[in-house]
Each structure stands twice: as C-alpha cells, then as structure tokens.
Amino acid sequence: MTNKILVTGGSGLVGRALRLYLPNAIYASSYNYDLRDPGGVDALFVKHRPNHIIHLAGKVGGVGINLSHPVEFFEDNILINTNVLREAHRHGVGRLVSCMSTCVFPNDVEYPLQPDKIHLGEPHPTNFGYAYAKRMLEVQTRAYRQQYNKEWFTAIPTNIYGPHDNFNLESSHVIPALIHKCYIAKQTNTPWVIWGSGRAIREFVFVSDVACVLANMITSYSNPEPLIISTPHQCSIREVVRMISQCMEFDGEIIYDDTKPEGQYRKPSDISPLRSFMPDFRHTSLETGIELTVKWFTENYESSRK
Ligand code: NDP
C-alpha cells in the first residue's frame, strides 16, 4: 500500500511548515472543498484516496475574534471535525492525527497541563466555543479507537508562531499581533502599545517544531493519550517584546497598558511525554524563531495574511 498522506488545513500556518517534512503529502485548503459540508469532505477523499490524514483544518483565531464569534468557532470546528473523522472512517483511512489546542484545558486547572485534565472543568470563558469543539475531537477520536480499533491520535499544541501566520490585528494570536503592531509603530513613528503588564509567562512553540512532531506522529505515535506539543522554554511577554524590537530595530516608545486583560500569569504544560516520544528532538530557540518570523513578515508584508 502506498503511503499517501492528506493534510487538511494545508494552506495554514502549520500546513505550510509541514511541507518541509512531508514534501510528497497532499495539501488541501478550503479553496476547493469546504469541510463543514460532508459532501466536500467526501469529494476530497474520493479525489485523493488518502491512506493517512493529518487533520489541521479549523477555524482558528486569537482572543478578540473568539469573544465576538463564539458561534462560528464552535459550529465550524464541530462540523469540520465530525465530517473529517466520519468520512475518514467511511473511506478506510488508516492512521489519523488531528490537532486540539491547550485552550481545551479547564480555566481552573492544576498545573502543569496534562492530557487527563482536559475534561475536568469549564474552559476559559473567552474561547469556550472553540475549546468545547476541540474537546469533542478528543472524544470522537477516542470513540473511533474504542469501537473500530482505529490508529487515530490527537496532538495538543500550545501557542504556535512562525512564517505564514495570520497577522490580522482583529483575529491573530499574541506573537503575530505583537510583530504587526511593532511594524506599524515603526512605520508611523508612534508608540507601541501592548495589552497587559507584559509579565504573563507563556510557552511559544515554533511552527517547524510542531510540524516535525506531527510528521513523526503520523508514522510512529502509538499512545492513546493526546500528545502535548510545547517547549521547555517559558517566556514572559516582555521578553518576547524585547526580542521583536531587537529584530525589528524598533527604538520607539513601548507602553504596557495594564488596564487590558492578559489572562493567567502562567500556564505550564508537561512535555515529558513529548521527550519520551522524541528523545533526540531539539526545540528551536525563541530568539531564532522570532528572528525567522520577523524576517518572513517584513519580506512578505504585502502578501501576508493581515
Ligand atoms: P490556520 O488558521 O493558519 O489555517 C487553518 C487552515 O484550515 C487553513 O488551511 C484553512 O484553509 C483551513 N480551513 C479553515 N476552514 C476550513 C473549511 N471550512 N474547509 C476547509 N478548510 C478550512 O491554522 P493553524 O495552521 O494555525 O492551525 C492548525 C491546527 O492547529 C488547527 O487545528 C488549530 O486549531 C491548531 N492549533 C493552532 C494553534 C496556533 O497557535 N495557531 C495553537 C494550537 C492548536 P484556507 O487557507 O483556505 O482558509
């Protein structure tokens, strides 16, 4: 049997980075097939007849757009995931790896984040639509494994960043938003205003690292537990700001607006299962990742998603 891998969400941040590790896979976007429609998923699978699937497609965004559009974040993701897994079963797909997010974890959880804590309480109210839809991906995957012995798995990446990210100020995540705002402040000679005190500490994982782990998961992951894809390098928003300003050569005023929300102070995750799965894996440092991302954004400003 040929090893034909289909990647849904192939035009997104993670999908583009996967091309380096899986150059022969098929990369689908929403352009020809809307995966919210079961007919679209069926047509995609009939056309390509994949043996294995890395399922990345989803409605993805930062806090602002999650707050204003919880219906779409819930419904689109529920529909896409339900259709992709159901049709994958109907079409006899072998291995399947899909992505949740650390947003799935309860708001009030004991740290570090570990996969057995996903369903222990309400997710953060800012993104409950997205979080509940993503939790159901774990439930659906577990159900297929139990009833049909599927070799299907889920990953839980933390905050991903890198080239080809979404830099739109209304819908982007933290790092692309900071890079874009710094770019504008530099161009317009105005202060760079940052939401919150900048003291919150986060785990930012470079997109190539996520892609590398997913490429390994589709061939050799065998643990029924979801795999958290994060980094051992925890970093405050202030440190991220310093790195971005250095890469951008920004020497204007930086203002921290601590009247704005910034979420929990720390959200550490347990990466020991990742270390056991890939003991020789070395993460990209945040300095290098930010440098590559800033370089990509400034060189591709016109064509970037913004
Ligand atoms: P992007 O937003 O960059 O890309 C989303 C992809 O999904 C695009 O290829 C898009 O296609 C496709 N898509 C969206 N809606 C549909 C649809 N209705 N039918 C078909 N395709 C659709 O996402 P990322 O690459 O950042 O995320 C990949 C996965 O990782 C997602 O499942 C996400 O939830 C998860 N994740 C992401 C994190 C992050 O920080 N970015 C953090 C943790 C998890 P098109 O380009 O045509 O619109």
Side-chain angles (χ1 to χ4, degrees), residues 78-116:
I78 281 282
L79 288 170
I80 290 172
N81 297 336
T82 304
N83 292 335
V84 168
L85 269 63
R86 192 203 276 145
E87 291 298 321
H89 171 57
R90 223 170 52 79
H91 285 266
V93 165
R95 295 177 63 85
L96 185 148
V97 172
S98 58
C99 273
M100 291 193 273
S101 155
T102 40
C103 298
V104 297
F105 285 102
N107 186 30
D108 189 10
V109 68
E110 203 174 292
Y111 293 107
L113 302 177
Q114 287 163 320
D116 59 353

Side-chain angles (χ1 to χ4, degrees), residues 261-293:
E262 61 186 347
Q264 270 128 326
Y265 172 60
R266 245 179 113 223
K267 303 203 274 190
S269 58
D270 178 8
I271 61 160
S272 52
L274 175 58
R275 286 196 195 287
S276 307
F277 175 53
M278 293 173 66
D280 298 328
F281 181 67
R282 293 284 165 268
H283 286 83
T284 305
S285 72
L286 193 59
E287 283 86 352
T288 304
I290 286 185
E291 194 182 329
L292 291 168
T293 310

